[in-house]
């Protein structure tokens, strides 16, 4: 048998007395603004806890909001309503007034009957009153002279009857800008040209046609120079200049001869450039040949 002390077991320990309960917290003072009026509490509300304290759901209930004042009608809405009512009222009054009036009969339809001359129309007189056709129309290249045998081309100029523009015609003159403006402002329509060179003499024959309403411009172009008639009945003539002129690009002198005539809206021009004075017979003969192809 041993005499060593034995450690006490947990079951052998005497029970501990229970801890005294914590004193309750003193109630917090409630502000006057947070106090809930007695009438705000529902009659069937249940009060728990300490006296004077309400349930949390009752604390969330605030004071009842004041009722909203009635909205006044807007001036624009009133004006629109008044306008609509005025239109409807006016239309109704007008319809009632018009319905009481007797119907007005419409005037009968009156159509003038076609009238015919009593006398028979003379066909020749009627044809004379109609617009006259153009004296010359169609392909002008067929009316132009061709280069004679034994001739050669003159630079880059067309050696066969070809169409040319107003700009190409203007380049033949010394003042091309003025000539170009003059052609387009006077009713230029179209033109054809042929050029050739033979025995150091250069020739140019051209036909310039104006619009039908500018036939007077063709007549004035034909009367530009004081010329001698080359053919009886031809509206134009020819002229040979004794003093030499000069080429603009090389300042080389040349002698000039010019023939012009007009038929309808077409102006015929024949120009001769020679290193020696141009003979009038050669120019007159060439102008006659071209004029015969126009008549």
């Amino acid at each position: 048998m041993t005499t060593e002390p034995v450690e006490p077991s947990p079951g052998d320990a005497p029970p501990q007395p229970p801890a005294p309960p914590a004193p309750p917290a003193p109630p917090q003072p409630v502000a006057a603004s947070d106090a809930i009026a007695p009438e705000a509490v529902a009659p069937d509300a249940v009060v728990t806890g300490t006296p004077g304290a309400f349930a949390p759901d009752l604390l969330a209930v605030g004071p009842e909001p004041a009722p909203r004042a009635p909205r006044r009608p807007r001036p624009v809405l009133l004006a629109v309503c008044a306008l609509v009512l005025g239109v409807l009222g006016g239309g109704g009054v007008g319809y009632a007034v018009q319905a009481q009036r007797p119907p007005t009969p419409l005037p009968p339809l009156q159509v003038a009957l076609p009238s015919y001359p009593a006398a028979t129309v003379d066909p020749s007189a009627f044809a004379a009153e109609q617009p006259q056709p153009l004296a010359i129309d169609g392909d002008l290249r067929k009316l132009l002279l061709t280069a004679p045998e034994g001739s050669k081309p003159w630079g880059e100029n067309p050696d066969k009857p070809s169409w040319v523009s107003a700009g190409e015609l203007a380049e033949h003159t010394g003042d091309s800008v003025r000539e170009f403006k003059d052609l387009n402002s006077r009713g230029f329509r179209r033109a054809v040209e042929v050029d050739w060179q033979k025995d150091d003499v250069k020739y140019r024959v051209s036909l310039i046609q104006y619009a039908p309403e500018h036939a007077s411009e063709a007549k004035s172009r034909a009367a530009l120079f004081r010329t001698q008639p080359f053919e009886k009945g031809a509206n134009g003539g020819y002229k040979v200049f004794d003093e030499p002129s000069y080429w603009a690009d090389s300042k080389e002198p040349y002698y000039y001869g010019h023939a012009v005539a007009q038929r309808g809206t077409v102006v015929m021009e024949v120009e001769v450039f020679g290193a020696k004075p141009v003979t009038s017979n050669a120019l007159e003969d060439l102008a006659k040949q071209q004029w015969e192809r126009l008549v």
Side-chain angles (χ1 to χ4, degrees), residues 48-71:
T48 60
T50 58
F54 298 92
D57 56 346
L58 296 179
L59 294 177
V61 178
E64 184 178 359
R68 181 178 297 178
R71 181 178 295 179

Side-chain angles (χ1 to χ4, degrees), residues 9 12 28 30-31 47 74 80 82 84 97 123 138 150 192 242 244 246 262 265:
S9 61
D12 298 337
Q28 299 293 332
V30 180
V47 180
R74 298 181 180 180
V80 173
V84 173
V97 173
V192 292
D242 298 330
Y246 298 89
Q262 173 257 339
T265 58

Side-chain angles (χ1 to χ4, degrees), residues 121-153:
V121 178
D122 186 4
S124 58
F126 180 77
E129 294 178 357
Q130 302 303 314
Q132 298 298 325
L134 296 176
I136 298 177
D137 204 0
D139 193 349
L140 297 180
R141 294 174 299 179
K142 298 179 180 180
L143 302 178
L144 202 61
L145 288 175
T146 57
E149 296 182 0
S151 62
K152 60 181 181 179

Side-chain angles (χ1 to χ4, degrees), residues 90-104:
V93 173
Y95 178 78
V97 173
Q98 186 67 23
Q100 295 177 0
R101 294 179 179 178
T104 303

